[in-house]
Amino acid sequence: MTHYTFPKHFFWGSATSGPQSEGRFPDDGKGDNTWDYWFQQEPHRFHNGIGPDKTSQLYKHFREDIQLLKATGHNSFRTSIQWSRLFPKGTGEVNPEAVAFYNNYIDELLANNIEPFINLYHFDLPMALQEKGGWLNRDAVLAFEHYAKTCFELFGDRVRYWFTQNEPIVPVEYGYLYQGHYPCEVNLNHAIQVGFHSALASSLAIKAYREGKHDGQIGIILNLTPSYPRDPSNPKDVKAAQIADAFFNRSFLDVSVKGHFPKDLVKIIKALNMIPDYQPKDLAIIQQHTVDLLGINYYQPRRIKAKETPLPTNPHIPMPDDYFDYYDMPNKKINPYRGWEIYEKGIYDILINLRDHYGNIPCFIAENGMGVENENRYRNEAGYINDQYRIDFYKDHLRYVHQAITEGANCLGYHVWAGLDCWSWLNSYKNRYGLIEVDLSQNAQRRMKQSGLFFKQLSTQNGFSD
Ligand code: BGP
């Protein structure tokens, strides 16, 4: 029997986001964000036509939900403040209903000994700002700075762990290259400008936090997807994997932790003549305001090979994958519902990379989880979903987290995605991730899953044995 015991005060918990959990109610004063608008325009794009207005209705259920988080052993929990809830127009007047809601939510977490981890931006740009060009417009950066500062002033007396953004590369990729987020463009030039503005926005929020002398830490949450070359002994595959890594990982990782953009990425962008618009002071702001703490979302690796497929002939819109091809590795383990490869050792490789190349910055696993369709078929006689596959998934990753910690990685916790089943953007409620079921057919009734019981034990014992 092997025992995996984690360091003292390890963070055990889960993550969600405001737009994926709260829902909208007639008296809540929330403004539209890009998801609300997109759903109004094109509801057919959303799985089963379920939009951001419904989600898990945590806005009304949060007290009950916090009891369930407690019952599943949470000592910490991440959500995000919805920008469009606090500032219905993105800037200007604060919505008092939002202030009351987030105050009650945070206080309830604290009263139940659950440390709130609060993120500011989780893919949810207020529509009023999108109408003025969104992240392409520098005004959005300034509006974000103001929004961040307001959050610190309103809630910073109680919240000790802040995050500027969740997965900032995702709105860049899916909003401006691969058409999964609004405004659904395919434009590398715009993607680069939006990426730059997002990085600057994060640094300005960090600056505001430090200037406010709040008592806590501020970080960012990045989806790090290690890039593995098809053949590590083939220099062309290795080079291709490095470029993919520069675009999708180091772009925000280097900025957030080291305060500068990766040289190889800058070289590519220069050669494309796509250096974004910026002001001379911006680079100093970015350099001086790096994060205290890094949250890591890990789901899947990225397998890469040297470019084999020919580039389309003119007119050709440049894309990151002009420099590499995706490698479909035979016999890989797959989560068929999400189509993502499951490669547990990736979590170890990330932590060791941070140890060796990023000053061993304090970090924690901020999301890791398995989305499964139609979990109803796993319901046992007592009426509970017996999601043993999810328990196995967690354990298989936790063994590697444990190993990395034993080898000196500075990993302070493990948060799963998600505590409660929540709304997954275009996938809506197709795949369920929760430790706790949300039954949409029964008025969003909550029910613990087997994985919830496992998680309670994991947290109570600060580890597991097998
Ligand atoms: C992460 C996001 C989450 C969440 C999760 C699961 O990238 O931070 O918001 O949605 O992935 O992915 P999905 O919902 O696409 O299945």
Side-chain angles (χ1 to χ4, degrees):
M1 182 107 110
T2 313
H3 298 281
Y4 301 92
T5 304
F6 286 80
K8 262 195 189 152
H9 310 301
F10 204 65
F11 291 120
W12 295 107
S14 70
T16 191
S17 72
Q20 291 175 276
S21 59
E22 292 170 7
R24 281 187 92 165
F25 295 86
D27 56 350
D28 69 3
K30 188 181 118 49
D32 280 353
N33 62 31
T34 48
W35 294 96
D36 298 311
Y37 174 80
W38 200 16
F39 181 68
Q40 288 152 21
Q41 299 301 310
E42 301 186 284
H44 58 273
R45 282 198 186 239
F46 293 73
H47 186 76
N48 284 346
I50 301 176
D53 52 331
K54 301 268 185 316
T55 74
S56 302
Q57 301 164 33
L58 178 140
Y59 190 75
K60 295 283 183 201
H61 286 259
F62 71 93
R63 292 190 200 277
E64 172 197 347
D65 290 348
I66 289 170
Q67 288 313 309
L68 287 163
L69 297 180
K70 199 175 165 186
T72 47
H74 282 60
N75 60 22
S76 45
F77 170 69
R78 167 168 61 110
T79 188
S80 70
I81 289 172
Q82 289 203 70
W83 188 350
S84 58
R85 186 180 292 289
L86 195 63
F87 287 105
K89 298 278 172 215
T91 187
E93 292 290 304
V94 166
N95 168 17
E97 299 300 328
V99 178
F101 167 64
Y102 289 117
N103 269 330
N104 289 336
Y105 193 176
I106 289 165
D107 289 347
E108 189 76 8
L109 285 165
L110 289 167
N112 285 283
N113 296 320
I114 299 175
E115 187 80 55
F117 283 32
I118 300 294
N119 178 40
L120 296 176
Y121 187 72
H122 200 123
F123 312 165
D124 53 338
L125 192 69
M127 197 57 207
L129 297 177
Q130 183 61 47
E131 279 162 1
K132 294 181 189 139
W135 285 111
L136 282 170
N137 183 341
R138 198 177 166 96
D139 287 353
V141 178
L142 303 179
F144 181 78
E145 184 187 15
H146 176 66
Y147 156 60
K149 215 171 153 193
T150 309
C151 288
F152 304 147
E153 281 163 7
L154 286 169
F155 312 113
D157 57 332
R158 285 150 292 155
V159 174
R160 297 191 301 161
Y161 296 91
W162 287 96
F163 300 90
T164 58
Q165 295 157 346
N166 173 79
E167 303 189 349
I169 191 71
V170 168
V172 173
E173 282 179 84
Y174 289 101
Y176 294 88
L177 295 172
Y178 306 121
Q179 299 182 288
H181 284 200
Y182 196 78
C184 263
E185 291 185 14
V186 184
N187 185 328
L188 184 59
N189 223 327
H190 282 181
I192 292 166
Q193 185 68 60
V194 166
F196 181 81
H197 277 159
S198 306
L200 179 62
S202 174
S203 307
L204 283 168
I206 295 172
K207 182 168 177 282
Y209 188 71
R210 302 239 164 92
E211 286 172 358
K213 302 210 181 326
H214 301 281
D215 181 19
Q217 302 186 23
I218 185 155
I220 195 165
I221 291 153
L222 301 179
N223 51 319
L224 298 179
T225 47
S227 280
Y228 297 107
R230 166 182 54 186
D231 175 0
S233 65
N234 173 347
K236 287 189 176 153
D237 285 350
V238 172
K239 176 94 202 302
Q242 276 164 359
I243 295 179
D245 188 50
F247 269 107
F248 299 115
N249 294 323
R250 284 185 281 119
S251 45
F252 280 97
L253 179 60
D254 286 16
V255 168
S256 306
V257 179
K258 296 181 173 172
H260 59 75
F261 293 94
K263 285 205 179 79
D264 48 353
L265 184 61
V266 173
K267 202 170 152 195
I268 290 175
I269 290 174
K270 264 192 186 153
L272 287 167
N273 206 11
M274 288 190 184
I275 290 291
D277 291 338
Y278 67 97
Q279 297 179 0
K281 63 178 184 204
D282 294 350
L283 298 184
I285 291 170
I286 287 173
Q287 201 221 326
Q288 287 158 17
H289 300 95
T290 55
V291 297
D292 301 319
L293 176 67
L294 181 68
I296 302 155
N297 294 353
Y298 177 66
Y299 291 91
Q300 57 170 340
R302 187 177 258 110
R303 306 260 174 209
I304 298 291
K305 61 184 179 182
K307 191 82 191 155
E308 287 171 354
T309 53
L311 291 181
T313 43
N314 285 337
H316 171 56
I317 303 171
M319 293 292 269
D321 21 323
D322 289 353
Y323 302 88
F324 54 82
D325 273 344
Y326 285 97
Y327 170 51
D328 189 7
M329 190 176 77
N331 303 321
K332 62 187 173 199
K333 195 178 191 188
I334 273 268
N335 170 359
Y337 313 102
R338 194 61 181 83
W340 288 344
E341 179 182 346
I342 299 176
Y343 181 63
E344 298 85 353
K345 182 173 173 286
I347 211 164
Y348 167 87
D349 291 341
I350 293 170
L351 292 171
I352 296 302
N353 181 39
L354 294 176
R355 182 195 70 184
D356 294 346
H357 302 114
Y358 292 86
N360 211 8
I361 179 154
C363 64
F364 70 105
I365 303 302
E367 284 182 31
N368 182 226
M370 192 179 177
V372 172
E373 206 166 343
N374 185 17
E375 288 197 304
N376 238 329
R377 70 197 133 137
Y378 301 110
R379 203 176 291 286
N380 63 21
E381 282 170 7
Y384 295 99
I385 291 170
N386 187 357
D387 51 347
Q388 186 58 43
Y389 42 86
R390 183 165 289 116
I391 298 171
D392 293 340
F393 179 98
Y394 295 154
K395 282 174 153 182
D396 292 346
H397 285 83
L398 278 168
R399 284 188 206 94
Y400 278 112
V401 173
H402 187 268
Q403 187 184 333
I405 292 172
T406 310
E407 294 173 21
N410 201 358
C411 177
L412 310 177
Y414 180 76
H415 281 187
V416 298
W417 185 271
L420 278 93
D421 284 343
C422 62
W423 183 80
S424 277
W425 318 110
L426 293 182
N427 269 339
S428 190
Y429 279 92
K430 175 179 170 292
N431 303 316
R432 303 303 186 97
Y433 285 87
L435 302 169
I436 298 151
E437 176 191 3
V438 174
D439 189 343
L440 295 176
S441 70
Q442 298 208 25
N443 215 7
Q445 191 189 327
R446 279 68 166 143
R447 237 178 264 120
M448 182 94 87
K449 299 183 196 173
Q450 194 65 34
S451 57
L453 299 176
F454 164 77
F455 208 78
K456 166 79 179 158
Q457 207 179 38
L458 179 68
S459 158
T460 310
Q461 298 177 354
N462 202 29
F464 65 100
S465 307
D466 63 12

